[in-house]
């Protein structure tokens, strides 16, 4: 390297008068450091006009990295290529030149080196997707896509991995997040490859297998559909996009028709418990009634209504030759989807070939459901709602299953299904305590299990102790705000009128989990408040017996009341 280059690397254009002498001192110190650590075969030598150092893979990570990438190119199979790429990527530890205060190096050298690493990481993720290891690669992709939002390829891989692991609504939400960011920051739409992937997800396409080309250019996008051989699971409802705001400069495009039906409907991953309810629902759906069968699943937020509905759809799909249709009836902002919007995503009357099964998830009122019920003989609808939907039962009949928390044994089975039986068996008491701390809510248990799954060295007992210090706030995942118990509880609460929200906060100060019918006083409004909260899934049972509030909801109510009091006190002081 020339002396001029080294001087710019050290001081850029602001070089002191003694720069050349200082450079010689730097080189001398480097030689001493190399000798101290036994680096004797790669000495720095002075040559006319600058300095030279002969580096090899034993002393310079960058040389070894490039050698491993070349070896990966020459590998005869995907496993061998992936092994060498991962070995190469382990050489990168932390940000590049983090302790080197050189504006010139960070401006001129770091971007190119970063590009080398990211192209290699893209290729490794492509191979993992092609080998069907979608769950394993998700952890890396979450972090990488967030760290490098300008590289659409990582976002595309993340969206595809989510879809292939049955998390369709999350995949669509991630796409919309990318689209919104690109539109806001750059005024552009996602690239054609991402748009094609979104369309495939909306249609429910099987993305199919990918034959990787070992000699594929690292800078080129992979041809065709990428990823694992076949769709492993599909357990999330199809989200209906919110309409464009009235102030948007251009009208939103018309909704893209969904797939004519889900076929086949995969099982819910690691589904456990609900044996009696599942059997009763399946029996009712397959009874062969000439009229439309309606089954309502109600209960508290996070209690597992959606999972049970989709598992029942999987169990009974062969009884519905016209197909299974799954629609989310609430947008991410909590606003309900109108029946007209939902109908646009369903086949017209008489178009389905036989009886159909319609799954309507997170319904807010009977009026959302009535216009959508299929009319073909033998058809059925599963409706999930935090409300009991008594009005729907009054006009159309059917059955209602009010879900409660899991039994302790069911919670243990769920943890074992997700974490592995051996890990749970190694800490049986801690696993039982984790179920109790999570309130035996399926959502809470899956969040805690996901935390443990991504931290193989974390003991269950340590996780329990950490969660218990701040419930329910710590029952959330940082990389996905929707997987958060406080968010889910808060979303249910925000759907209520302010006066009923205030009534819920007051319950946090009440002693015990059993609430007498006069828990908020003896006035008719207090009685109505308790009934409204029970109808919203935030309380259970009711007259003539006492109301009951789940422990996690009780803690949440107490925290919300405390925050509201502190906010009011701060406002009064100012």
């Amino acid at each position: 390297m020339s002396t001029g280059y080294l001087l710019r690397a050290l001081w850029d254009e602001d070089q002191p008068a003694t720069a050349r002498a200082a450079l010689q001192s730097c080189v001398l110190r480097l030689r001493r450091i190399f000798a101290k650590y036994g680096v004797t075969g790669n000495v720095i030598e002075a040559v006319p006009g600058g300095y030279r150092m002969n580096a090899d893979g034993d002393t310079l990570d960058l040389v070894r990295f490039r050698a491993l990438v070349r070896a990966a190119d020459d590998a005869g199979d995907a496993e061998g290529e992936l092994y060498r790429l991962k070995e190469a990527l382990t050489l990168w530890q932390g940000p590049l030149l983090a302790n080197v205060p050189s504006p010139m190096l960070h401006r001129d050298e770091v971007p190119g080196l970063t590009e080398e690493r990211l192209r290699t990481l893209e290729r490794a993720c492509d191979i993992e997707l092609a080998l069907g290891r979608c769950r394993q690669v998700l952890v890396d992709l979450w972090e990488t896509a967030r760290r490098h939002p300008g590289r659409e390829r990582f976002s595309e891989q993340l969206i595809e991995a989510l879809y292939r692991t049955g998390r369709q609504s999350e995949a669509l939400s991630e796409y919309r997040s990318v689209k919104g960011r690109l539109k806001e920051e750059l005024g552009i739409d996602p690239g054609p490859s991402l748009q094609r992937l979104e369309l495939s997800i909306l249609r429910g396409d099987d993305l199919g297998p990918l034959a990787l080309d070992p000699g594929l250019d690292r800078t080129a996008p992979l041809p065709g559909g990428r990823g694992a051989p076949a769709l492993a699971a599909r357990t999330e409802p199809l989200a209906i996009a919110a309409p464009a705001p009235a102030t948007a400069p251009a009208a939103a495009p018309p909704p893209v028709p969904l797939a004519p039906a889900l076929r086949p409907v995969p099982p819910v991953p690691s589904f456990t418990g609900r044996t009696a309810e599942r059997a009763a629902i399946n029996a009712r759906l397959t009874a062969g009634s000439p009229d439309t069968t309606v089954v309502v699943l109600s209960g508290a937020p996070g209690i597992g209504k959606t999972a049970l509905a989709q598992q029942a759809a999987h169990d009974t799909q062969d009884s519905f030759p016209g197909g299974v249709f799954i629609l989310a009836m609430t947008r991410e902002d909590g606003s309900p989807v109108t029946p007209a919007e939902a109908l646009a995503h369903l086949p017209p009357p008489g178009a389905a070939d036989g009886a159909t099964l319609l799954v309507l998830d997170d319904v807010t009122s009977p009026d959302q459901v009535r216009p959508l019920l299929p009319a073909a003989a033998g058809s059925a609808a599963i409706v999930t709602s935090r409300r009991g939907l008594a009005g729907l039962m009054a006009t159309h009949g059917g059955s209602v299953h009010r879900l409660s928390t899991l039994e302790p044994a069911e919670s243990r089975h769920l943890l074992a299904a997700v974490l592995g039986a051996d890990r749970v068996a190694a800490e049986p008491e801690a696993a039982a305590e984790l179920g109790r701390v999570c309130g035996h809510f399926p959502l809470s248990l899956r969040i805690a299990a996901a935390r443990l799954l991504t931290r193989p060295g974390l003991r269950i007992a340590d996780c329990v102790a950490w969660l218990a210090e701040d419930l329910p706030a710590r029952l959330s995942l940082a990389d996905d705000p929707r997987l958060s118990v406080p968010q889910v509880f808060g979303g249910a609460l925000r759907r209520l009128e302010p006066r009923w929200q205030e009534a819920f906060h007051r319950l946090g100060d009440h002693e015990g989990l059993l609430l007498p019918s006069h828990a908020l006083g003896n006035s008719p409004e207090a009685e109505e408040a308790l009934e409204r909260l029970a109808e919203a899934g935030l309380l259970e049972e009711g007259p003539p017996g006492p109301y009951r509030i789940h422990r996690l909801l009780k803690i949440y109510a107490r925290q919300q009341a405390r925050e509201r009091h502190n906010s009011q006190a701060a406002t009064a002081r100012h």
Side-chain angles (χ1 to χ4, degrees), residues 196-286:
R196 287 194 297 269
L197 179 58
E198 182 212 20
L199 185 58
S200 295
I201 295 173
L202 287 170
R203 289 175 173 170
D205 292 345
D206 184 341
L207 299 184
L210 170 69
L212 285 171
D213 178 2
L216 201 61
D217 181 359
R218 293 282 186 269
T219 63
L222 286 173
R226 291 157 304 281
L231 202 60
R234 180 169 182 175
T235 60
E236 294 293 339
L238 300 175
I240 298 178
T247 57
V256 178
L258 300 182
L262 295 182
R263 181 72 70 196
V265 181
V268 176
S270 309
F271 186 88
T272 57
R274 310 295 189 199
T275 304
E277 295 97 334
R278 184 176 170 185
I281 293 169
N282 293 352
R284 188 169 187 87
L285 292 176
T286 58

Side-chain angles (χ1 to χ4, degrees), residues 319-373:
S319 298
F320 300 96
V324 179
F325 303 85
I326 302 180
L327 294 178
M329 298 302 291
T330 305
R331 301 185 183 89
E332 290 186 13
D333 63 359
S335 60
V337 171
T338 67
E341 290 172 318
L343 282 171
H345 293 256
L346 295 172
D353 186 16
T356 60
L357 174 61
L358 178 62
V359 180
L360 301 176
D361 188 54
D362 202 10
V363 165
T364 61
S365 71
D367 289 338
Q368 272 187 303
V369 178
R370 294 186 181 107
L372 306 180
L373 293 177

Side-chain angles (χ1 to χ4, degrees), residues 3-90:
T3 299
Y5 177 88
L6 293 172
L7 291 174
R8 289 195 304 275
L10 286 170
W11 293 286
D12 210 356
E13 302 303 326
D14 189 22
Q15 300 173 18
T18 58
R20 289 182 178 272
L23 174 60
Q24 293 174 355
S25 299
C26 289
V27 171
L28 179 60
R29 288 203 303 271
L30 274 176
R31 287 169 175 163
R32 290 173 177 169
I33 290 172
F34 284 3
K36 177 181 178 180
Y37 289 98
V39 183
T40 58
N42 305 84
V43 296
I44 302 172
E45 55 182 335
V47 296
Y51 296 88
R52 177 194 295 128
M53 182 179 74
N54 294 315
D56 57 30
D58 292 332
T59 53
L60 188 61
D61 285 343
L62 186 59
V63 174
R64 176 157 179 75
F65 169 79
R66 288 169 174 165
L68 286 167
V69 171
R70 287 194 299 271
D73 286 340
D74 297 333
D77 62 291
E79 287 283 6
E81 182 179 2
L82 180 62
Y83 178 84
R84 288 168 177 81
L85 292 178
K86 285 195 168 185
E87 185 180 359
L89 289 167
T90 61

Side-chain angles (χ1 to χ4, degrees), residues 370-393:
R370 294 186 181 107
L372 306 180
L373 293 177
S379 294
I382 306 176
V383 180
T384 76
S385 178
R386 291 162 189 168
R387 303 179 179 276
L389 301 182
L392 180 64
M393 293 296 99

